[in-house]
């Protein structure tokens, strides 16, 4: 797949997430998707995202950096949000936090097959005294 095509698909995927249009997620995510080496499939992927938006009502995915080739997309996503309760084991309880997530996506047939994700938890910890 051409690099420009993959970037376009990825940006459309991010728009789908921000619109919470779960009925369209299958256009972007493979039925057998893997997240951090755990096979969760499309239904598990949808469940994970729904849970994220339930725990963080003002969640918005913001692409800060994007690099791609014919098979992979690497992205740095920025977040500025107010998670409810505990987030990543930290008692955030509705306070505003800013952090980044570094993600690598492997595509198969134009859909996300595998995701490797790391959230910068230390950036969150640095904003509060825990």
């Amino acid at each position: 797949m051409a690099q420009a095509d993959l970037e376009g698909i990825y940006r459309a995927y991010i728009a789908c997430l921000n619109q919470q249009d779960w009925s369209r997620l299958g256009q972007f995510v493979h039925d057998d998707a893997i997240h951090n080496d755990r096979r969760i499939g499309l239904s598990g992927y949808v469940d994970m995202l729904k849970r994220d938006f339930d725990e963080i009502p003002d969640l918005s995915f913001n692409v800060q950096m994007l690099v791609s080739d014919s098979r992979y997309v690497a992205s740095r996503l920025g977040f500025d949000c107010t998670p409810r309760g505990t987030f990543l084991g930290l008692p955030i309880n509705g306070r505003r936090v800013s952090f980044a997530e570094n993600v690598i996506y492997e595509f198969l047939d134009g859909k996300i097959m595998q995701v490797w994700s790391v959230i910068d938890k230390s950036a969150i910890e640095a904003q509060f005294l825990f």
Side-chain angles (χ1 to χ4, degrees):
M1 179 168 286
Q3 179 179 345
D5 292 342
L6 207 53
E7 287 179 14
I9 290 169
Y10 180 73
R11 289 189 186 279
Y13 159 76
I14 292 296
C16 180
L17 297 184
N18 286 332
Q19 295 164 3
Q20 300 180 50
D21 189 354
W22 310 130
S23 65
R24 285 192 21 210
L25 199 60
Q27 294 175 18
F28 306 103
V29 177
H30 197 279
D31 288 339
D32 296 320
I34 299 167
H35 183 269
N36 286 344
D37 296 326
R38 194 170 58 101
R39 186 173 305 278
I40 59 174
L42 176 59
S43 63
Y45 207 96
V46 170
D47 290 345
M48 175 183 67
L49 289 164
K50 284 181 177 179
R51 187 172 46 256
D52 290 345
F53 276 94
D54 184 52
E55 293 173 0
I56 311 170
D58 60 348
L59 183 62
S60 179
F61 292 76
N62 302 293
V63 177
Q64 294 179 330
M65 188 183 307
L66 177 62
V67 179
S68 70
D69 65 13
S70 61
R71 187 171 166 188
Y72 295 94
V73 166
S75 180
R76 181 170 176 86
L77 299 170
F79 300 93
D80 183 28
C81 55
T82 52
R84 297 181 196 180
T86 301
F87 178 63
L88 299 176
L90 302 172
I92 302 300
N93 300 317
R95 293 180 286 179
R96 180 160 296 285
V97 296
S98 296
F99 61 94
E101 176 183 17
N102 296 306
V103 193
I104 299 172
Y105 303 85
E106 180 181 16
F107 282 75
L108 177 65
D109 300 325
K111 293 184 179 185
I112 296 168
M113 180 62 193
Q114 190 152 198
V115 179
W116 296 273
S117 165
V118 177
I119 294 175
D120 187 356
K121 184 177 177 182
S122 62
I124 299 169
E125 292 169 330
Q127 295 169 59
F128 305 101
L129 297 175
F130 290 107

